Amino acid sequence: MPLNEGPRQSGERRLSVNPFYGPANPVGDMAEAPPTHRLPDQPIAPATAHQLVRDELMLDGNARLNLATFVTTWMEPEAGVLMAECRDKNMIDKDEYPRTAELERRCVAMLADLWHAPDPAAAVGCSTTGSSEACMLAGMALKRRWTRRNADRYPGARPNLVMGVNVQVCWEKFCNFWEVEARLVPMEGERFHLDPQAAAELCDENTIGVVGILGSTFDGSYEPVAELCAALDAVQERTGLDIPVHVDGASGAMVAPFLDEDLVWDFRLPRVASINTSGHKYGLVYPGVGWALWRDAEALPEELVFRVNYLGGDMPTFALNFSRPGAQVVAQYYTFLRLGRDGYRAVQQAARDVATGMAGRIEALGDFRLLTRGDELPVFAFTTAPDVTAYDVFDVSRRLRESGWLVPAYTFPANREDLSVLRVVCRNGFSADLAELLTQDLERLLPELRRQQRPLTRDKGVATGFHH
């Protein structure tokens, strides 16, 4: 959650109240203009408060046209009704809301089966507020397992976690908050994610684990999890070090099982200890819900688990948050029931078809070079062609925003900071028709962009629209 500062100026601004906002008499019921940064002295009518908030929110972008976010922006009305009925249920109160707890348990079992846990009934998992919390929990389990194995050296020795420089920022937060050294595999050339051999070479006796990403947010590509596990197998044969792998499947763990069934990345690999995903990304649920699963009870240290009474029995819980609504978990179960395997396959295939089709049309314009084509995650990244000097990707992003499209432009991290790209995330609800409209708008802008004398962006750090 971002930290927000108070007003920067001492002068207080007040909200303007239209006389017609009053519920009955436009004059007699007109409220005094309320302040913006302190509590008003008096209540105002609910209709007035509603209209004031709604007016301000009109300036937000249209979520359906936000091609920067991976987060679900459309669900069926029936799901919305279920969520409204469950928004007052506190997920932590397992005894008070036993059926909601049961639906959470069923979702974990379904994911364990989907991800080929050796014994889905023995897999351990939980819902979270999103993949960020799920990653924190997985990281905590990795660190605690390492500290138990190295009790004679810790806390003197400093643990480390190996991952690609392309990881989502939550992993940097984990390393900062839990005092773990982040060892990052840099990008090189046209490789924009982790290299298995390079990751293995960064491992030592203090490595708590290696993170593999099934669907990098930078370009939508899958990291080679099987090859990573094989490289760590070789490390174990050579040194005796048994280093576990966590798969950050925030997006890909809900795509690959349906579209890439022959790809081995999950619990079929014995070295994979845990997996997370975002229910609110390609799990097709409104934010915020995530899932963290461990292959068995041994992978999650017992001392991290808290136990609460559930229907007179014992319910283990593992979470950083306490109170949160049950609505998203219920919506996840609804979506699992509603779609099933064939339904998920159809929805994700449609998103991939939109991504690959749109990528091909953008490439055909001649002004751009594709980095990825949307054939793994339904996501693709592209940059300007080498001969394009009149404008850059930041100019394109800024001009598309004029038509309501939110397409992020950003610079890649260390070793490829010379590369700036645009990225398009194709989600359920971003149809082939919308993709065609976006492509038409882009094509319409090109003549003007080509006539520029130079790119207009002065500060790329300020211009970037990438926030994972």
Side-chain angles (χ1 to χ4, degrees):
M1 180 179 295
L3 295 175
N4 296 304
E5 299 178 354
R8 296 178 181 273
Q9 299 178 357
S10 57
E12 181 180 73
R13 184 174 70 86
R14 288 179 174 267
L15 295 169
S16 174
V17 180
N18 187 315
F20 284 99
Y21 288 176
N25 184 336
V27 177
D29 289 334
M30 182 178 175
E32 179 184 351
T36 56
H37 290 91
R38 63 179 177 85
L39 285 172
D41 294 327
Q42 300 294 329
I44 58 177
T48 304
H50 170 262
Q51 193 63 53
L52 288 173
V53 175
R54 193 173 190 181
D55 285 352
E56 199 154 349
L57 290 176
M58 287 193 302
L59 296 176
D60 274 348
N62 185 328
R64 291 281 297 279
L65 302 183
N66 181 4
L67 303 183
T69 183
F70 285 77
V71 171
T72 296
T73 55
W74 182 87
M75 289 189 75
E76 293 173 316
E78 292 83 354
V81 171
L82 277 173
M83 294 183 75
E85 292 172 348
C86 297
R87 62 191 173 197
D88 59 346
K89 295 183 179 181
N90 189 353
M91 269 302 303
I92 200 66
D93 292 335
K94 310 293 185 184
D95 191 45
E96 289 81 355
Y97 308 114
R99 300 322 302 171
T100 303
E102 171 63 15
L103 298 190
E104 178 188 28
R105 191 189 66 80
R106 293 179 190 175
C107 287
V108 168
M110 289 177 177
L111 289 171
D113 177 65
L114 185 67
W115 296 339
H116 299 96
D119 180 3
V124 180
C126 61
S127 67
T128 63
T129 54
S131 266
S132 293
E133 182 188 2
C135 290
M136 299 282 176
L137 298 180
M140 289 167 60
L142 290 175
K143 183 180 178 183
R144 186 60 62 92
R145 289 176 64 190
W146 177 87
T147 56
R148 287 197 312 190
R149 292 195 306 268
N150 295 273
D152 58 329
R153 299 191 307 113
Y154 184 78
R158 186 185 183 191
N160 66 71
L161 181 66
V162 175
M163 49 197 169
V165 71
N166 55 304
V167 291
Q168 213 267 358
V169 69
C170 68
W171 287 107
E172 299 174 37
K173 289 183 178 180
F174 166 76
C175 290
N176 185 6
F177 296 165
W178 274 271
E179 298 181 326
V180 173
E181 176 193 356
R183 294 189 175 178
L184 302 176
V185 178
M187 294 181 177
E188 295 289 350
E190 293 300 297
R191 175 180 58 76
F192 305 122
H193 57 223
L194 174 144
D195 173 71
Q197 192 56 43
E201 291 172 0
L202 290 177
C203 295
D204 59 23
E205 67 275 9
N206 294 328
T207 302
I208 65 174
V210 181
V211 176
I213 306 175
L214 199 69
S216 172
T217 56
F218 277 89
D219 64 355
S221 62
Y222 293 159
E223 290 191 333
V225 178
E227 288 87 341
L228 173 62
C229 289
L232 294 176
D233 288 343
V235 169
Q236 184 173 9
E237 290 178 10
R238 186 175 66 253
T239 67
L241 296 174
D242 185 7
I243 299 171
V245 167
H246 171 79
V247 178
D248 183 348
S251 294
M254 293 305 297
V255 173
F258 307 108
L259 301 188
D260 308 293
E261 295 181 68
D262 294 333
L263 180 68
V264 179
W265 61 272
D266 53 17
F267 289 128
R268 285 171 287 184
L269 298 167
R271 196 165 292 279
V272 173
S274 49
I275 302 172
N276 71 274
T277 198
S278 287
H280 61 227
K281 292 181 180 173
Y282 287 97
L284 308 179
V285 174
Y286 286 138
V289 61
W291 300 92
L293 269 70
W294 290 262
R295 68 182 302 116
D296 51 37
E298 185 180 351
L300 178 60
E302 174 65 24
E303 62 266 27
L304 293 177
V305 178
F306 286 78
R307 299 188 176 276
V308 296
N309 183 273
Y310 168 61
L311 293 179
D314 184 62
M315 166 68 81
T317 65
F318 185 29
L320 296 178
N321 288 293
F322 198 70
S323 296
R324 58 186 173 91
Q328 286 80 6
V329 168
V330 170
Q332 184 74 83
Y333 184 68
Y334 164 85
T335 307
F336 284 168
L337 281 186
R338 168 76 174 90
L339 293 177
R341 287 179 179 261
D342 287 347
Y344 263 96
R345 185 176 297 110
V347 169
Q348 311 302 33
Q349 185 63 60
R352 181 178 282 181
D353 289 346
V354 170
T356 55
M358 187 177 177
R361 290 192 294 274
I362 288 177
E363 183 180 40
L365 295 173
D367 284 44
F368 303 102
R369 177 175 71 89
L370 294 178
L371 276 66
T372 48
R373 296 180 173 273
D375 54 356
E376 293 183 323
L377 285 189
V379 174
F380 65 96
F382 60 102
T383 188
T384 49
D387 59 341
V388 173
T389 58
Y391 64 92
D392 60 17
V393 294
F394 299 100
D395 291 327
V396 176
S397 178
R398 184 166 51 248
R399 292 301 306 274
L400 285 174
R401 186 178 286 265
E402 295 172 5
S403 299
W405 302 105
L406 306 179
V407 180
Y410 53 92
T411 301
F412 271 25
N415 284 24
R416 286 312 317 262
E417 292 169 319
D418 59 306
L419 181 60
S420 297
V421 306
L422 293 150
R423 186 197 65 197
V424 174
V425 177
C426 299
R427 306 177 308 277
N428 182 38
F430 182 65
S431 64
D433 292 335
L434 286 174
E436 182 62 28
L437 291 174
L438 172 55
T439 307
Q440 290 174 2
D441 282 342
L442 176 58
E443 189 172 8
R444 193 178 301 117
L445 289 173
L446 288 180
E448 291 183 41
L449 291 169
R450 290 165 181 160
R451 287 196 294 269
Q452 290 184 180
Q453 294 183 348
R454 57 175 176 76
L456 301 181
T457 306
R458 295 182 179 179
D459 187 346
K460 294 182 179 180
V462 174
T464 184
F466 181 56
H467 303 288
H468 289 275

